[in-house]
Structures are given as C-alpha cells and as structure tokens.
C-alpha cells in the first residue's frame, strides 16, 4: 500500500582484500518510521470499523473521545449518520501522505497527514431513489472534498467516488489515561479546540514542521 512519500537510501559497502577490491551494492532499503506504521494501523482499524458499522470503536479512534466509551455518543451517532443512515456505503483507504514529521512537545506528539480514500455508495435502500438524489449526493461530496473528486456510476443505484481527501492530525498524549495515537480533523474548529486543551498555537506549531 502506498502510505506517503518516504526517503530511501542506498548503502554501498566496499570490501578490500589484499590487492583486490570487491564492490558489493546493498539492496535499496526503505525505512518507514514507527510512528507512521502506528498511524497507518490506526487508520486501517478505523476504516474496518466504519465498514463493519462498529460506530463506538470507530469513534474511539478520535482524539475527542480520549478513552473507550461503552455507549453510543454524539460522535458515534454522527458517524452512523454520515456513513450509514439510509445509505449503504463502503470506505476504502487508498493512501496516507504525511505532511509533517513527528512533532514532539513535552508529553505530546503530533503528525499531520492527508487521508486519501474512496467511497462506494449504494442508494438502492433509499425510498424514491432517482437521478436527482444521486446528483444531490455527489454535489454534497464535491462541496465537502472539492471539485476534483472522481465519480463513477457502476449501476443505477451505485456510486463510486475517488480522490477524496481529508487532512487529519494524529495526536498522542502521553499524559492521557489511555495514551495512544488518535485522530482529529485539522480544521479551524479543531485548531481552536486543541489550542484551548493544550494551551498552545497549534497552527504555528504545525506550520513550523511542514515537510
């Protein structure tokens, strides 16, 4: 799976014996930082939970949840509405593109990345399905994710939308009761929330560590 843009390096080892010099070229090794592997695993679990309609588990991957919940929260209800509701949908992760390296500040770790995915929607269960309904739904996707999304109609009741992208911030708070990577959408609203919770200028911190 394509996860993002990573640096690669080649190690050339020169071995000398007596008057004969042998040159051995190593294989090109791509090292993926452990935090990127952890965030990739988090997103795979998140997508799996969304597709299996496990709304509580999906919600628990969001930073605002902090720790595991044992009941349907407002966030879980939102996910149910967004990805289920009267529609049947499937979300497929295409790639993660990291926009920053890991940022460490006291007990906090951050990493900004783009979450690229594809969405397949089946509207057959919606009463009075018609072309106008599909057009309205597609317009809603374009409003949320931009005009460059790729839309395909697989049949009268199915839509595939690709080139969808969200900017997410991964947060690991080691002072939390349940420290681990969590995600939060990186928007004006979330920046205000993080600024207040952590007493810092989140936007400036991220901007200073852009790749």
């Amino acid at each position: 799976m394509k996860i993002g843009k990573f640096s690669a390096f080649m190690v050339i080892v020169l071995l000398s014996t007596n008057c004969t010099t042998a040159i051995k070229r190593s294989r090109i090794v791509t090292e993926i930082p452990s935090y990127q592997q952890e965030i990739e695993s988090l997103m795979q679990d998140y997508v799996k939970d969304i597709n299996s309609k496990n709304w509580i588990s999906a919600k628990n991957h969001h930073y605002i949840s902090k720790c595991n919940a044992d009941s349907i929260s407002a966030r879980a209800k939102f996910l149910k509405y967004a990805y289920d509701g009267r529609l049947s949908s499937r979300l497929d992760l295409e790639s993660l593109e990291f926009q920053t390296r890991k940022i460490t500040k006291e007990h906090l770790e951050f990493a900004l990345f783009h979450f690229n995915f594809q969405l397949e929607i089946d509207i057959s269960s919606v009463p009075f399905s018609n072309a106008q309904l599909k057009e309205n739904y597609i317009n809603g996707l374009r409003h949320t994710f931009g005009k460059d999304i790729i839309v395909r109609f697989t049949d009268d009741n199915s839509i595939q939308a690709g080139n969808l992208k969200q900017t997410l911030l991964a947060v690991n708070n080691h002072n939390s009761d349940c420290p681990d990577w969590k995600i939060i959408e990186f928007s004006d609203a979330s920046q205000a929330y993080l600024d207040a919770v952590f007493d810092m200028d989140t936007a400036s911190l991220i901007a200073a560590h852009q790749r």
Side-chain angles (χ1 to χ4, degrees):
M1 175 190 298
K2 175 186 174 186
I3 303 176
K5 297 180 179 178
F6 308 106
S7 60
F9 62 90
M10 178 179 290
V11 179
I12 301 177
V13 181
L14 298 178
L15 300 176
S16 300
T17 57
N18 296 329
C19 296
T20 304
T21 301
I23 301 176
K24 182 186 293 184
R25 289 184 173 87
S26 72
R27 292 179 300 175
I28 298 177
V29 179
T30 300
E31 291 189 345
I32 302 174
S34 61
Y35 74 92
Q36 290 188 0
Q37 295 177 8
E38 292 165 2
I39 294 171
E40 177 195 2
S41 178
L42 161 72
M43 294 307 297
Q44 289 173 341
D45 290 343
Y46 178 65
V47 168
K48 181 179 178 180
D49 287 336
I50 290 290
N51 290 336
S52 63
K53 306 186 188 305
N54 190 348
W55 307 120
I56 292 178
S57 182
K59 188 269 300 186
N60 286 333
H61 295 304
H62 288 254
Y63 182 77
I64 199 168
S65 304
K66 304 224 177 119
C67 292
N68 293 338
D70 57 5
S71 62
I72 293 290
S73 68
R75 182 64 186 175
K77 289 179 180 177
F78 170 78
L79 290 171
K80 178 177 175 61
Y81 174 80
Y83 291 104
D84 186 12
R86 295 186 302 168
L87 302 174
S88 174
S89 63
R90 176 177 175 80
L91 189 153
D92 291 314
L93 189 157
E94 294 183 329
S95 66
L96 303 183
E97 298 174 2
F98 284 85
Q99 306 304 300
T100 65
R101 294 179 175 83
K102 183 171 68 174
I103 304 166
T104 302
K105 186 175 178 61
E106 298 175 353
H107 58 279
L108 300 168
E109 293 177 325
F110 302 99
L112 189 73
F113 65 97
H114 291 325
F115 168 44
N116 304 304
F117 62 100
Q118 176 177 293
L119 193 61
E120 185 171 345
I121 307 103
D122 183 353
I123 64 173
S124 60
S125 61
V126 181
F128 312 112
S129 299
N130 55 47
Q132 186 60 53
L133 175 65
K134 287 194 291 188
E135 189 63 29
N136 291 343
Y137 191 82
I138 291 168
N139 287 338
L141 291 175
R142 288 187 172 126
H143 175 76
T144 302
F145 300 106
K147 296 181 180 179
D148 294 333
I149 66 172
I150 300 170
V151 177
R152 295 183 294 275
F153 297 93
T154 55
D155 59 44
D156 289 341
N157 293 315
S158 296
I159 306 167
Q160 285 185 342
N163 198 32
L164 306 176
K165 178 182 295 187
Q166 283 184 311
T167 302
L168 300 176
L169 183 67
V171 182
N172 191 356
N173 182 356
H174 291 279
N175 279 0
S176 170
D177 291 336
C178 49
D180 207 348
W181 288 106
K182 305 278 188 176
I183 55 172
I184 186 168
E185 186 174 355
F186 197 63
S187 63
D188 291 342
S190 68
Q191 288 176 47
Y193 167 78
L194 293 169
D195 290 354
V197 169
F198 299 131
D199 190 24
M200 67 173 67
D201 185 346
T202 310
S204 296
L205 181 67
I206 296 299
H209 291 83
Q210 292 277 356
R211 287 184 184 272

